[in-house]
Amino acid sequence: MHELSVVRALLTRLKPYQHREIRRITVEVGTMSCVDGERLQFCFDMVKEEAGLSGAELVIQVVPARAECRHCGRHFTPDKAGDACPCSSHDYTLTSGRQLLLTEIGFG
Amino acid sequence: MCGHCGCSGDKARLSTPGSEIHRHLRHEGDSLQLQQALLAGNDELARQNRDWLTAHGITCINLMGTPGAGKTRLLEATFTHVNASRQAGAGWPPMAVLEGDQHTQNDARRIQACGGRVVQINTGTGCHLDAHMIQAGLATLAAPDGALVLVENVGNLVCPALFDLGEQHRVAMMAVTDGDDKPEKYPHLFAGCGLAIINKADLLPYLEVDLDSIKSALRRLNPHVQILVLSAQSGEGLNAWYDWLLSTRP
Ligand SMILES: [Zn+2]
Ligand SMILES: [Zn+2]
């Protein structure tokens, strides 16, 4: 379960701000990042107390994928990896959907 | 619009030099807007690994795949072949292996028995290798300049996909016994590799596997992927693998 590694990375990122009471942590998770939101939440809840974040809530914003087709130039939204462009080409670049970002820390 | 967080930048923002963190004055609530990649720590170590490998002319290949895909068997066959070719006077770069497993040194012993230089990395409860483990592993391995280093990742089609090790090449491996729909079930790993290997081709006569449907699933996920069908057991198709290995040299 690599989501636990992701949570550990998140805790490292939060360390510098823990002299204050953290209430809300917002992360952006792309649908193509290969991180599962529910498992991420589960792993966070598992370790938050131990990390001194028992009062904190993790808000996961799932970001849909965006793609630009190399064949027809169209911008479209694939639902999942391997989906084709409306022109039926599979040759496209993901312009969004791979991100795994800490975007906001809310303090108490 | 602010290029970092996308919020309107019509008011001033505060930041410290060298830091990507900034605070917009217009945010009334006491919150901090940032744009930090969660895996930035791993990615920075991966970048260091890549620079180090380049400086030493070392090519690093991250071999990922299902447990039982035959990764270790392929490495055994490769070392046996390379040693025999060297004795016959053919030129091969120095080769070495970083073996990733949760526990045991079994795979490292198998490589060693074939005359390979190898370091075992045990991840304990971890289900993938990360850039830090590779950094430590490379230091212990001490492969000579110009070497080909093969990393055998932990047998798992999910977690290794997320972690950049600093490798120059990613290989995703499955076996015909894994079933036709493996690439579709685990799209990220197969979408992110340059080479896909379908192993255990010697078993095809005994199975109801549609090789063409595996190949077309791979091409849907990854239109530029190179595909090799081979059998590490029988040796079928291995020459194409050796050619590919040699083609990765800078
Ligand atoms: Zn995992
Ligand atoms: Zn298109």
Side-chain angles (χ1 to χ4, degrees):
Chain A
M1 194 140 78
H2 54 290
E3 280 79 5
L4 194 54
S5 305
V6 175
V7 166
R8 287 214 188 91
L10 171 65
L11 297 182
T12 311
R13 306 248 126 212
L14 293 172
K15 275 263 155 57
Y17 309 101
Q18 279 187 273
H19 57 284
R20 303 186 56 191
E21 192 205 352
I22 296 178
R23 277 288 181 74
R24 200 180 61 253
I25 301 148
T26 310
V27 294
E28 268 181 24
V29 175
T31 51
M32 303 278 185
S33 69
C34 69
V35 165
D36 180 88
E38 265 174 50
R39 273 196 294 241
L40 192 66
Q41 189 79 54
F42 174 80
C43 292
F44 178 78
D45 291 341
M46 210 163 65
V47 301
K48 69 183 207 179
E49 205 143 321
E50 184 189 334
L53 291 163
S54 32
E57 169 203 14
L58 179 67
V59 179
I60 297 171
Q61 289 176 338
V62 176
V63 185
R66 296 280 306 153
E68 184 178 355
C69 181
R70 284 206 197 95
H71 185 70
C72 71
R74 200 179 328 218
H75 291 260
F76 68 103
T77 308
D79 278 339
K80 55 179 195 328
D83 279 359
C85 169
C87 81
S88 84
S89 168
H90 289 273
D91 192 6
Y92 50 79
T93 333
L94 281 183
T95 52
S96 172
R98 285 237 170 82
Q99 59 268 65
L100 208 49
L101 299 169
L102 168 61
T103 54
E104 188 179 12
I105 305 174
F107 297 101
Chain B
M1 192 146 105
C2 165
H4 279 292
C5 73
C7 67
S8 151
D10 49 357
K11 296 249 172 81
R13 60 177 241 212
L14 310 174
S15 65
T16 347
S19 147
E20 75 274 45
I21 304 153
H22 64 273
R23 191 195 297 261
H24 287 264
L25 288 183
R26 68 178 193 90
H27 288 294
E28 301 287 337
D30 200 5
S31 76
L32 196 58
Q33 310 289 310
L34 345 106
Q35 195 76 353
Q36 288 194 348
L38 288 178
L39 296 181
N42 181 77
D43 295 347
E44 166 57 20
L45 290 176
R47 194 193 55 77
Q48 288 174 17
N49 290 349
R50 200 168 278 120
D51 288 351
W52 184 88
L53 290 164
T54 308
H56 291 270
I58 297 176
T59 304
C60 181
I61 295 160
N62 183 1
L63 180 59
M64 297 172 281
T66 44
K71 299 188 293 300
T72 315
R73 186 72 194 85
L74 179 64
L75 295 181
E76 284 177 319
T78 306
F79 275 92
T80 308
H81 167 82
V82 167
N83 290 337
S85 318
R86 280 200 189 112
Q87 271 164 18
W92 267 86
M95 306 235 308
V97 172
L98 291 176
E99 264 300 337
D101 277 303
Q102 290 199 317
H103 298 283
T104 81
Q105 294 195 328
N106 296 353
D107 286 358
R109 285 206 196 92
R110 285 170 60 183
I111 303 299
Q112 210 163 36
C114 299
R117 181 197 283 256
V118 60
V119 165
Q120 178 79 48
I121 304 173
N122 284 131
T123 57
T125 57
C127 43
H128 56 265
L129 295 172
D130 64 29
H132 180 248
M133 298 173 196
I134 295 304
Q135 197 159 71
L138 285 171
T140 308
L141 188 64
D145 286 8
L148 255 177
V149 174
L150 290 139
V151 177
E152 184 182 335
N153 217 313
V154 179
N156 178 331
L157 285 179
V158 182
C159 314
L162 187 59
F163 293 84
D164 185 4
L165 306 180
E167 77 277 32
Q168 294 99 335
H169 300 277
R170 284 189 161 203
V171 178
M173 185 163 175
M174 61 174 283
V176 291
T177 45
D178 285 330
D180 297 358
D181 53 358
K182 267 290 180 296
E184 265 154 343
K185 281 183 174 164
Y186 300 95
H188 297 291
L189 192 121
F190 289 100
C193 68
L195 175 70
I197 294 177
I198 307 171
N199 189 26
K200 306 193 185 178
D202 54 310
L203 298 179
L204 278 170
Y206 313 104
L207 303 166
E208 277 187 35
V209 174
D210 185 351
L211 206 51
D212 288 333
S213 97
I214 301 179
K215 287 183 181 171
S216 48
L218 284 168
R219 294 214 173 86
R220 276 196 301 276
L221 291 167
N222 189 344
H224 302 286
V225 71
Q226 229 182 306
I227 302 173
L228 295 180
V229 181
L230 53 80
S231 166
Q233 194 67 37
S234 73
E236 169 189 350
L238 284 183
N239 283 334
W241 158 246
Y242 301 139
D243 289 345
W244 182 85
L245 272 181
L246 289 170
S247 77
T248 63
R249 310 279 303 122

